[in-house]
Amino acid sequence: MRTSRLAAALLGPLAASAAMAQDETKPNTDLPATNTFGRWTTIIDTLDTGQDAHKTCAASTAFLDGNGNAGSLTLSISTGDALPPDAYPAIMFIIDNKTLPTGDKIAATFGDPGVKVAATVTSNAAAGGRPSWMVDNQAKTSLALLRAMRKVTSLDVTFGKQAVASIPMDGFTKAYRNLGTSCGFSTKDVAP
C-alpha cells in the first residue's frame, strides 16, 4: 500500500507534466490560420460569438517604395460582408511615407505599362503611426484592380501624380484563391 501511494505521489506530478506537454503540442484553434504564397501571406481568423461565426480573410504583402520606405498592401473581406461578385475585398496601402497626397478622392493609377486601372483612394488616420490609403471599393473598379494584380509581375502604384511603389505580385493568385476558399466565395472572375 505504501509503495502504491509513494508511486502515486511521485508519478502524479510527472503525469500532470506529461499531460501539460501533450496539451502544448495540440494546435491552438483560437489562433488565426496563416499561409504563405510567394510574397503574399493570408490570415484567416474566425470570431465565434456562440450564436454565429464570422471569418475575416486577409492577404498581405510587404514592399519598399523607391525611397526605401516600408509599406504593405492588404486585401480584407469578412463573411459578414457582401461577397464577390457583389463586392470585393477592401484594398488598403500602409506606407511609411508622409510626402504622399492625403485627403478624399485622390486619383490613383495601378498596373504596369500594359495594364492600367484608374481608381480613387482616400487617406485614413495613421495606422500605428504610418499613413494609410484605402481604395474606394466600387465593385467594377475593385474587380479590374484585382484582375490587374493577377496579370502583372509588379503592380505600379501612383497616387495623384506621385509614384508610390512597384509592388511584386509573386503569389497573389494563390493567395486570392485561398481567400475565396476560406471565406466561401468564387474566385473565377479574378483568378480562374
Side-chain angles (χ1 to χ4, degrees):
M1 181 72 95
R2 250 186 208 196
T3 309
S4 62
R5 283 189 191 166
L6 181 59
L10 291 175
L11 292 177
L14 184 58
S17 179
M20 285 181 4
Q22 186 177 14
D23 284 344
E24 289 175 14
T25 61
K26 292 179 185 175
N28 186 345
T29 55
D30 293 339
L31 294 177
T34 61
N35 288 296
T36 301
F37 304 94
R39 296 179 59 109
W40 286 81
T41 299
T42 61
I43 301 170
I44 313 303
D45 194 12
T46 302
L47 175 63
D48 190 348
T49 64
Q51 293 180 352
D52 61 358
H54 290 284
K55 286 185 181 179
T56 298
C57 302
S60 189
T61 188
F63 63 88
L64 295 175
D65 70 9
N67 297 320
N69 297 310
S72 64
L73 165 57
T74 302
L75 313 176
S76 179
I77 195 162
S78 171
T79 56
D81 298 337
L83 298 173
D86 299 319
Y88 290 88
I91 303 168
M92 183 172 73
F93 296 85
I94 298 174
I95 309 162
D96 198 13
N97 183 340
K98 294 179 178 35
T99 67
L100 292 172
T102 58
D104 293 333
K105 306 286 184 191
I106 302 162
T109 307
F110 305 93
D112 70 5
V115 176
K116 295 279 186 207
V117 176
T120 56
V121 296
T122 299
S123 62
N124 298 311
R130 297 168 68 197
S132 64
W133 292 262
M134 195 76 131
V135 176
D136 291 342
N137 199 355
Q138 302 298 317
K140 255 185 174 175
T141 305
S142 295
L143 176 59
L145 178 51
L146 292 165
R147 284 179 174 168
M149 291 168 71
R150 177 181 53 84
K151 290 178 184 176
V152 301
T153 303
S154 289
L155 184 72
D156 297 332
V157 180
T158 304
F159 293 167
K161 295 184 181 200
Q162 190 171 351
V164 175
S166 185
I167 306 168
M169 290 290 112
D170 176 41
F172 169 78
T173 300
K174 288 181 180 179
Y176 189 78
R177 287 179 186 148
N178 183 256
L179 293 187
T181 300
S182 299
C183 264
F185 62 88
S186 172
T187 62
K188 289 181 183 176
D189 52 356
V190 172

